[in-house]
Amino acid sequence: MEIGYKLAAEAFGPAELVRQAVLAEQAGFDFVEMSDHFHPWLDNQGHSPFVWTVFGTIAAKTDRIGLATGVTCPTVRYHPAIIAQAAATLALLSDGRFTLGVGSGERLNEHVVGPGYPGTVRVRHEMLREALEIIRLLWSGGYHSYEGKHLTLDDARVFDLPGELPLIAVAASGPPSTRIAAELGDALFATEDKPEIVQEYRAAGGTGPRYAEVPMAWAPDEHTAARAALETSRWAVTGWKVMSELPNPVNFEAATTTVREEDILEKFACGPDPARYLQVAQQYADAGFDRLVMQNAGPDPDGFIDFYRRELDGPMRRLKPSGA
């Protein structure tokens, strides 16, 4: 089991994210993962820096820890040629420590450039397939063109390619996206502890690493932790269909007014008890995931990183599916 730390790009500015990544490396985490957003989920989170600049700085200030986008949408806000170039550059600067996490995106971030976020999941998946084909094409070296149903490429070449290309982890939540992950990706990425996601990925031929974000909120007491998560991360209990469709933080504010502290406690590991964190993480291990990302929504990132180092590092790494 490999363990990652989620850099909450919606909750912290760029310099603070770099500082936390350095602390995460010192604490023994295997990798850091960061979302690629234009907007935060809620206005009171207050941040959303450019992930590629932040990761370039992290690469320069760390030596060992892996880096992963969680996840980039390479179809609307970015053209896949730009992502092919950016990922190749970051792989070079990090000495091969970068994993490109991709997905079909959320309206929250993709609508900002004007043409519009596709209204149907089918079209989003078609576009993601084409984007991955373009990225793979450009990573093969030389000049290439591509004429797809939704995306095109005209006589383009990425000049600076690493000797070992980054793994591509594809975000999935159901059969269509798990098939894309198996057929065009190297790994799976998910935010839910559903065994069927991993089962469908394997059934489609997927054999790569399986990433999942584990919701948690550290504080010296359970109530403080849960209140902090409720304040900034209540959107996480709405489910993917809501998370992918709303266009702005104000819409997430309205959609989450009925989320209660009890709802947070049910989904998140909150407070100072290591047993609760292992209980929640075990659900993801049982579902078949082997790359667990600690997604702390508590008020004290330094306190959480120290708690992880003291109480969780060894036990988390020893997690296996129940009965294995």
Side-chain angles (χ1 to χ4, degrees):
M1 186 72 72
E2 292 189 11
I3 307 297
Y5 175 75
K6 179 66 181 278
L7 294 168
E10 301 83 19
F12 300 101
E16 172 61 15
L17 293 169
V18 173
R19 188 189 72 84
Q20 288 182 29
V22 172
L23 285 181
E25 181 174 68
Q26 294 169 353
F29 284 97
D30 296 302
F31 63 94
V32 289
E33 178 235 307
M34 183 163 43
S35 56
D36 186 349
H37 275 213
F38 192 87
H39 290 145
W41 298 101
L42 299 170
D43 277 332
N44 65 2
Q45 290 182 293
H47 296 278
S48 197
F50 190 53
V51 63
W52 298 94
T53 304
V54 178
F55 263 155
T57 305
I58 291 172
K61 289 183 175 289
T62 57
D63 299 310
R64 172 196 57 80
I65 200 164
L67 318 173
T69 48
V71 294
T72 289
C73 177
T75 60
V76 180
R77 184 165 43 110
Y78 304 118
H79 188 279
I82 303 304
I83 297 305
Q85 182 189 36
T89 298
L90 188 50
L92 288 166
L93 288 174
S94 64
D95 295 321
R97 291 183 280 144
F98 179 62
T99 295
L100 175 61
V102 299
S104 57
E106 306 100 8
R107 192 177 305 276
L108 174 71
N109 304 299
E110 305 310 314
H111 81 278
V112 299
V113 293
Y117 183 59
T120 68
V121 174
R122 176 186 58 79
V123 171
R124 297 170 202 169
H125 287 161
E126 288 175 353
M127 293 179 71
L128 182 58
R129 278 187 173 276
E130 292 185 6
L132 290 172
E133 289 172 355
I134 288 171
I135 291 170
R136 295 288 192 195
L137 196 61
L138 287 170
W139 283 358
S140 69
Y143 285 91
H144 296 280
S145 297
Y146 179 97
E147 188 72 34
K149 181 178 178 181
H150 306 283
L151 299 169
T152 60
L153 182 73
D154 184 22
D155 201 25
R157 175 184 172 186
V158 174
F159 275 80
D160 290 289
L161 290 172
E164 184 174 347
L165 295 169
L167 295 182
I168 298 178
V170 180
S173 59
S177 48
T178 53
R179 284 195 294 271
I180 296 173
E183 295 167 13
L184 293 172
D186 305 298
L188 177 71
F189 185 97
T191 59
E192 299 174 290
D193 58 347
K194 294 180 177 179
E196 56 267 31
I197 296 176
V198 173
Q199 292 165 3
E200 290 159 356
Y201 173 67
R202 287 172 168 159
T207 60
R210 301 167 301 281
Y211 292 80
E213 295 180 343
V214 183
M216 47 189 60
W218 184 87
D221 66 275
E222 186 180 69
H223 174 72
T224 300
R227 288 300 304 175
L230 181 67
E231 190 71 21
T232 62
S233 301
R234 59 188 181 272
W235 48 268
V237 305
T238 60
W240 184 248
K241 288 186 178 180
V242 174
M243 291 166 62
S244 64
E245 295 297 343
L246 300 182
N248 282 303
V250 65
N251 304 112
F252 280 94
E253 184 77 33
T256 56
T257 55
T258 60
V259 177
R260 306 163 301 162
E261 187 173 329
E262 294 88 340
D263 301 318
I264 296 295
L265 288 168
E266 181 179 349
K267 184 177 179 67
F268 284 68
C270 294
D273 183 4
R276 174 58 177 157
Y277 289 79
L278 294 171
Q279 179 187 37
V280 173
Q282 184 67 56
Q283 298 169 10
Y284 290 83
D286 288 344
F289 295 99
D290 61 359
R291 303 288 190 274
L292 301 186
V293 184
M294 309 289 98
Q295 186 176 13
N296 174 48
D300 179 5
D302 292 55
F304 171 75
I305 290 172
D306 183 61
F307 171 70
Y308 170 83
R309 180 186 57 80
R310 289 184 292 104
E311 303 284 354
L312 295 179
D313 184 61
M316 282 285 180
R317 294 181 185 283
R318 291 191 292 270
L319 286 177
K320 296 180 181 178
S322 299

